[in-house]
Amino acid sequence: MKRSLGYIKAFVLVVIICLLYGFAEKRHKSRGISEVRVQFTDSENLYVTEEVVNKLLIQNKAAVSSIDKETLDLNRVESLLNQHQMIENAEVYLTLDGKLEAIVSQRKPIGRVVGNSSFYLDKNGEIMPLSQFYSARVPLMFGFDGSNVSKAYAIISHIKKDDFLNRHVTGINRLKGDKYTLELREQDFELYFGDSSNVALKFNNFKAFYKKAQKENKLETYKKVNLQFGDQVVCTKK
């Protein structure tokens, strides 16, 4: 009899524990979000602000405290963030203490088209709108539109990844036949690039030419520097 009573007590204790756990779990899920926190993955200037992300995080523009954890759809919130034109990727999760956190990676512009329509070209070669919060310091692109800007991606991308070119190249002009000239920060000679083939070779030749001519104080004597032949740099003096 005592043995049976012990089993009954143990069973009742398990039931009570399960009920308490279920009750605590339900209370936990029904609590509102205590805080929303946004973390950007880099320290660059923001093309989309924390305030904008906060508004996207809160479904139907409701107050944070009115959203309970059980009805919050994290996948939907993530999808809303990832649809934003300035965001490359977002991860959203809930912490144990009731905070809604978002880790946001911004899209990164590498060139800015200037003309009838103005927009950025991002690091993935896709069109990115201008931001109302910050203007990126990237090479300006003239003579481009949405139909042809991707053809210059190899050139702009190479410039962005090279410290020397990043310091010296300020713009790119599109000519007929998808040929290009580049604008330099400190020099007034025309830098003719030609088409977008052999990008690395052309730029390596240019850097070697520039450093040699700079050392010999000859940079200001040139009217045009032509890189289109790939294997050599052809210069025209003033």
Side-chain angles (χ1 to χ4, degrees), residues 159-177:
I159 292 171
K160 181 63 177 177
K161 296 174 183 177
D162 187 286
D163 290 339
F164 176 88
L165 298 173
N166 230 352
R167 289 197 310 271
H168 290 87
V169 179
T170 60
I172 176 172
N173 299 283
R174 177 179 173 269
L175 309 177
K176 289 183 179 179

Side-chain angles (χ1 to χ4, degrees), residues 128-142:
M128 172 182 172
L130 301 182
S131 169
Q132 61 177 309
F133 302 109
Y134 181 73
S135 180
R137 296 185 62 183
V138 292
L140 300 179
M141 306 176 71
F142 301 95

Side-chain angles (χ1 to χ4, degrees), residues 2 14 38 63-64 86 92 101 143 170 191 201 207 211 224:
K2 289 183 178 180
V14 170
V38 179
V64 176
M86 297 296 174
V92 181
E101 299 200 354
T170 60
L191 181 59
L201 177 61
K207 289 194 292 183
K211 291 175 182 178
K224 181 178 181 179

Side-chain angles (χ1 to χ4, degrees), residues 111-129:
R112 176 173 177 167
V113 171
V114 178
N116 294 330
S117 58
S118 295
F119 53 86
Y120 291 123
L121 183 69
D122 77 2
K123 69 172 187 177
N124 297 315
E126 298 177 354
I127 291 175
M128 172 182 172

Side-chain angles (χ1 to χ4, degrees), residues 56-59 67-84 89-94 100-102:
L56 291 172
L57 281 171
I58 308 308
Q59 294 176 324
I67 303 174
D68 64 65
K69 300 169 187 175
E70 193 167 13
T71 60
L72 180 64
D73 186 345
L74 291 178
N75 290 330
R76 180 177 180 273
V77 177
E78 262 187 14
S79 179
L80 284 172
L81 289 181
N82 285 319
Q83 289 173 24
H84 194 280
N89 185 62
E91 296 180 5
V92 181
Y93 59 93
L94 278 170
L100 181 63
E101 299 200 354

Side-chain angles (χ1 to χ4, degrees), residues 144-211:
F144 292 89
D145 57 36
S147 67
N148 54 44
V149 67
S150 62
K151 295 179 180 179
Y153 171 71
I155 300 174
I156 294 296
S157 179
H158 195 97
I159 292 171
K160 181 63 177 177
K161 296 174 183 177
D162 187 286
D163 290 339
F164 176 88
L165 298 173
N166 230 352
R167 289 197 310 271
H168 290 87
V169 179
T170 60
I172 176 172
N173 299 283
R174 177 179 173 269
L175 309 177
K176 289 183 179 179
D178 291 320
K179 303 293 178 66
Y180 308 98
T181 61
L182 304 180
E183 297 181 3
L184 302 177
R185 190 179 307 281
E186 299 174 354
Q187 306 302 325
D188 62 356
F189 57 74
E190 176 187 342
L191 181 59
Y192 187 80
F193 195 85
D195 60 26
S196 58
S197 64
N198 300 316
V199 171
L201 177 61
K202 290 177 181 177
F203 275 131
N204 285 338
N205 289 341
F206 171 66
K207 289 194 292 183
F209 154 78
Y210 190 99
K211 291 175 182 178

